[in-house]
Every structure is written in structure tokens, then in C-alpha cells.
Amino acid sequence: MKNEQYALELVLFKLKEGTDKDSFRKAAAELSDVLQTQLPGFKERQLLHTSDETQWTDIVYWSDMQMAVAAMEKLKSVPAFQTFASMIDSKDIHLLHLVPVNLEA
């Protein structure tokens, strides 16, 4: 996304002890559908994990920071998000909203 304005949402987390990873992947896919179809400003999402699946990273691109913040507020009442979030260890979440730096002079 070179030379393009956007906001990046970066969430580092671990799953709750005993969470079924296949159920979590299904919940993540359902949330992706919601992001694509119901939230203005959504651009792209990537969900990653370490090779042992102990640490997860969710990267979401938004058109701008206002859209990212508005989406976070709206998602709180969306069942697909509630299901996804219910599987995450709330004691081990790190959330950042970032904007790109233009390094071209």
C-alpha cells in the first residue's frame, strides 16, 4: 500500500486456554465476512499465528483512523465479533492503531 493513506489496526493476542482452534478459525472467517460487508472503510485483513499457534496477530487495514475507531465501536454489538472475542484471553491483548509515515522527500 505504498503512497496510500490508511490506518492499520494491529492486535496481538493469545487464545483462552482450551479454545478449539478450528472453531476460532471459523469465527475469524465469519468476522471477516462482517468486516467486508457491513463496515465502511474496511480494506483488508490478515490473521497470523506463530508456528506453535500460541501467539496470534490480527492486522486490519482501514481507509483512515476515523473509520477504524468507528468500526471498533460498532463491532461491540456484532454477534460475529462477540463470538470471535470470546475466544481471546482478555488479559493478553495488545492493540495499536497506526498510520503510515511518508518517507519520500
Side-chain angles (χ1 to χ4, degrees):
M1 294 191 189
K2 188 176 179 181
N3 294 329
E4 186 177 340
Q5 284 301 309
Y6 59 90
L8 183 138
E9 183 175 294
L10 178 68
V11 187
L12 305 171
F13 61 93
K14 292 182 179 178
L15 299 180
K16 286 182 178 173
E17 187 73 32
T19 297
D20 178 72
K21 301 219 174 68
D22 288 333
S23 296
F24 179 71
R25 286 184 185 89
K26 181 181 178 203
E30 290 172 3
L31 179 56
S32 285
D33 288 343
V34 169
L35 294 173
Q36 291 172 9
T37 61
Q38 298 180 26
L39 293 171
F42 173 80
K43 291 182 147 212
E44 182 181 338
R45 179 184 191 207
Q46 296 173 320
L47 182 63
L48 306 104
H49 61 72
T50 54
S51 60
D52 63 359
E53 296 187 21
T54 59
Q55 182 69 50
W56 294 73
T57 303
D58 202 353
I59 302 171
V60 182
Y61 293 89
W62 298 97
S63 59
D64 58 43
M65 189 61 71
Q66 292 78 17
M67 292 292 191
V69 172
M72 288 213 39
E73 201 53 41
K74 183 175 182 180
L75 279 171
K76 292 176 184 178
S77 64
V78 173
F81 175 77
Q82 293 170 349
T83 300
F84 176 79
S86 74
M87 299 180 195
I88 294 173
D89 182 350
S90 62
K91 297 181 304 273
D92 197 8
I93 299 174
H94 303 282
L95 168 68
L96 295 171
H97 281 109
L98 307 163
V99 293
V101 174
N102 184 357
L103 297 175
E104 297 180 7

